[in-house]
Amino acid sequence: MTSHFIKLFFRNLSKNKIISGINIAGLVLGLLGTILILEYVFFHWSFDKYQANASDVYRVVYNRYQNGELQWKTANSFCPTGRYLKNTFPEVKEYANISRKYNILISLIDKSGEKQSFNIDKTYYATSSLFNMFSIELLQGNTNGLDKPNSVFLSQRAATKYFGDKNPVGEILTVNNTEKHTIVGVYKTIPSNSHLQSDFLFSFEDILVRNPGLRNNWSGDYLHTYIQMIPGSDYNRFEQTALPQMVQDNYAERLASRNSRDEYFLQPLPDIHLHSNIEYETETPGNAKAVKILFGFAIFFIIIAWVNYINLVTAKAIERAKEIGVKKVSGKTAKSLVFQFIGEAFLFNLISLLIVVGLWFIINPFYMRLTGIDSITSFLTIKNGMVALLFFVGGILLSSLYPAFVLSSFKPASILKGKFGNTKQGIAFRKSLVTVQFVVSIILLTGTIITYQQVNFLLHKDMGLNYKSKIAIKAPKPGEDHSVYSSKLKVLENKLASHPAVENYTFASEIPGHEINSWFFGYRKGFDRTDGKAYFRIDIDQHFGDFYDIKMLAGRHFRESDQEGQRNILLNEKGMQRLGFTNPEEAINKVVTNGRVEYQIIGIFQDFNFYSVKVDPVPTVFTLRESSKQFMGVQVSQTTMASLQPVLKDFQNTYAEVFPGSPFDYSIIEQKATTDLSTDKTFAAVFGVFSFMAIAVSVIGILGLIIITINQNLKEMGVRKVLGAELSHIYVILTKSMSKQFIAAILVAVPLGIFGFQKWFLNTYKDHINLSWVHLMLPVLLLSIIFMLIIYIQSQKVIRLSTTSVLKSE
């Protein structure tokens, strides 16, 4: 690439400033959009792939059926699962268990020597084998540190936060004011692209010390099991043979007596984030289909940008005809001209790429906050860099070969006689490319409207409970005699309830947006124990139903006069149906037993979505338990929600007055209830932003083509103007030049977009919007307005041109 070539390249740029600027703008938007989309896509694809044993580690999950009906799909498993598989099958090299330890209070002596207490939403018990199976780097301590009860590992993040430069090993953590745990090590903070996130790992032996029978228990699925298989093992064959044998060897008879069966599966570690959405996931799952849609979007995006480049370069070909004719007469071969034009394309794309890199460094911090990406290490890898380089170079070649061959094929004799014009084939090719741009733009705009409406539908769907203007305050953990704690909690309840901003309140063991962690086993009195089934359980008080505006279908709520010892329960519709009742009235006053204790059904709630609007309500039993007051829900007036901070300060002061030293922790229930929609909201935002960027690229290309069309037909338009043509005539001429492509694009894009988003996006949701004529017509209408507006503005520019200067052109 000589200095003469570079000078010629920049001379051509400066000679065609407007078209060159339009072309660069299109390439910059296309490349920038593609890079940002791929950053999001690669982040979600990278989950757990960094693990050294990723290809050999699997999570054991199962489905439970009873009487042929699916009861649940769960990520949980039984305590002996991993040990049995390792001891029985040589393909299993190791196993590890983790179990939830949620909503705990941790107290410690911090780096300044002061006692600190803080609430932690999610931690885990874990076996030491987790450190060998997962790539969790130990900074202090050794891999068997969790073999002893009452030991705990901290992440580097937690160790730095709470102890600063002080060595935390040997320090004592107090949990829930009762448990003492010794810090035995520190591990490097788990990367964000892992489905297992925790700053504290407690010894799994703590569970077994408290409940020794759990070690061989095949009925309580309270934990997650991971197995590591010998490299090269066929996990599909293992899944089909070993897992059914495990059931057969250990608890098949008990299942058969209840007309139940369990189906086990192995989930490859890298698949969990995007391909698993069952009960008791460790993190909110991603959406594999949404990520695939975005990946396809990225490909479309860069194609649109390069289509623009091809269109604009070939459309400008006629203006470079004389240059090419002179070069051919001077001895330049077609081959050398092809290389020249490929070189120009390379420089053009390289300039655009350099601009994109600068913009990426500016935009990316804001983009990461929008998408929730907190690390780009999975994106900026050598492998991705090599793939991107090959893709970039390949794209340059593909996008430059056609213009290069078109330009180099001009015949010098025709050019120098002034007889050159665009060929019918060339014009048809460019029109087909414009049609492709319109098709992609309509599909993307259709997708944007559909995704936003779907997410808005989920956000405003009736969950069967009212969580507006409600706050959840986490109750303190009892650190004293139960009667003293209960009396203090009653004082707190009375003080907060009497606050002028408080309209209603309730106590419960769970709040909306949390997965229910408690279980209830029971069957109807008079039936055999083999008819017993599992239900979710929420412990509530007498205000719960009114607080959340839950409809009572039959019976009554708990009352102030009800006592825990009365053993009354409420059910939702799903729970009622699982017990075998066909209507709410039939269930009232019936007795449910677990074989030891009997409970009377006093009310039936209408079903409601407690955990997420994306999943069906689950069979749930509601019990009255004083000891499970974990959250106090407080309803405040809507005007108070608008200026909440002063009220929260009052609540905090009251809390500190009754429970000095306990951390005040609250959450907005509406935000908690929609937590599971975070990935959907992010997808809609990302898709929307990049759809409009892609449409902008198409608009830029169309604008460039219209300008070129005007420049190439200035003399004709000048003659028309002399003959009396007005703005409307020029407008009609320019509109006709592209209207056929636009109509053809509508006929292709509308059915393709509707079918694609129905099948690959909406059908992934349990509840979704119904497509209507709005989804057909609105994208077409919006793009028509943009299209017509561009033509109108350019027509005005033509009509304002001096007739003399127009007729002197060429």
Side-chain angles (χ1 to χ4, degrees), residues 323-616:
E323 171 199 337
I324 294 160
V326 170
K327 284 185 175 182
K328 282 198 168 184
V329 169
S330 302
K332 285 277 188 180
T333 64
K335 183 178 180 181
S336 64
L337 287 170
V338 167
F339 280 110
Q340 175 192 330
F341 297 128
I342 290 176
E344 287 181 4
F346 178 79
L347 275 178
F348 209 89
N349 279 268
L350 185 62
I351 290 170
S352 301
L353 182 61
L354 292 174
I355 295 171
V356 165
V357 171
L359 289 173
W360 181 79
F361 276 105
I362 296 170
I363 294 171
N364 199 51
F366 305 98
Y367 178 71
M368 290 175 71
R369 282 199 291 271
L370 170 68
T371 57
I373 299 171
D374 60 1
S375 172
I376 57 174
T377 54
S378 60
F379 178 61
L380 299 178
T381 63
I382 295 175
K383 180 182 176 181
N384 288 345
M386 293 299 294
V387 171
L389 180 62
L390 288 173
F391 185 77
F392 182 66
V393 172
I396 292 172
L397 287 172
L398 290 174
S399 64
S400 61
L401 282 175
Y402 178 78
F405 281 114
V406 168
L407 291 168
S408 64
S409 66
F410 295 165
K411 293 179 172 59
S414 299
I415 295 168
L416 297 177
K417 286 179 182 179
K419 295 181 179 179
F420 174 76
N422 281 319
T423 65
K424 289 182 179 179
Q425 294 89 344
I427 293 171
F429 181 74
R430 290 203 304 277
K431 285 184 176 180
S432 66
L433 293 182
V434 170
T435 304
V436 170
Q437 286 182 308
F438 279 135
V439 167
V440 173
S441 297
I442 292 170
I443 289 174
L444 293 179
L445 190 51
T446 301
T448 299
I449 293 168
I450 290 172
T451 52
Y452 266 98
Q453 288 197 340
Q454 174 62 19
V455 172
N456 190 61
F457 166 76
L458 292 175
L459 286 170
H460 295 92
K461 183 178 181 294
D462 183 10
M463 292 179 69
L465 52 80
N466 178 9
Y467 48 68
K468 303 291 184 182
S469 303
K470 293 178 172 66
I471 303 163
I473 300 172
K474 191 172 289 186
K477 300 297 180 181
E480 50 212 336
D481 178 77
H482 177 69
S483 61
V484 174
Y485 172 76
S486 295
S487 63
K488 283 188 175 184
L489 205 58
K490 190 64 178 177
V491 171
L492 177 67
E493 176 183 336
N494 293 335
K495 283 179 175 288
L496 292 181
S498 63
H499 191 284
V502 174
E503 296 181 344
N504 201 352
Y505 71 94
T506 190
F507 272 100
S509 60
E510 310 281 353
I511 58 171
H514 277 192
E515 202 159 26
I516 304 170
N517 286 301
S518 296
W519 289 84
F520 179 96
F521 172 81
Y523 52 94
R524 290 166 63 176
K525 185 177 180 180
F527 284 63
D528 191 83
R529 182 179 173 83
T530 57
D531 193 57
K533 299 181 181 70
Y535 303 80
F536 290 91
R537 190 189 79 212
I538 302 177
D539 302 318
I540 63 174
D541 66 4
Q542 68 272 19
H543 307 294
F544 182 85
D546 290 334
F547 181 81
Y548 287 112
D549 295 333
I550 302 171
K551 185 177 180 180
M552 180 67 73
L553 299 179
R556 64 174 178 85
H557 297 282
F558 288 125
R559 295 172 180 158
E560 188 78 41
S561 58
D562 287 333
Q563 300 296 320
E564 185 175 333
Q566 288 180 264
R567 304 296 183 183
N568 292 334
I569 58 172
L570 306 173
L571 297 170
N572 67 349
E573 290 175 89
K574 283 283 196 301
M576 173 199 76
Q577 292 161 4
R578 181 169 282 191
L579 276 169
F581 296 109
T582 56
N583 62 75
E585 289 75 14
E586 179 191 358
I588 299 302
N589 295 325
K590 297 299 190 299
V591 175
V592 176
T593 179
N594 60 12
R596 299 186 305 274
V597 181
E598 294 184 352
Y599 302 85
Q600 186 176 33
I601 302 170
I602 63 169
I604 304 296
F605 281 136
Q606 185 180 59
D607 278 342
F608 54 88
N609 298 86
F610 195 76
Y611 171 53
S612 169
V613 72
K614 291 166 64 175
V615 298
D616 287 322

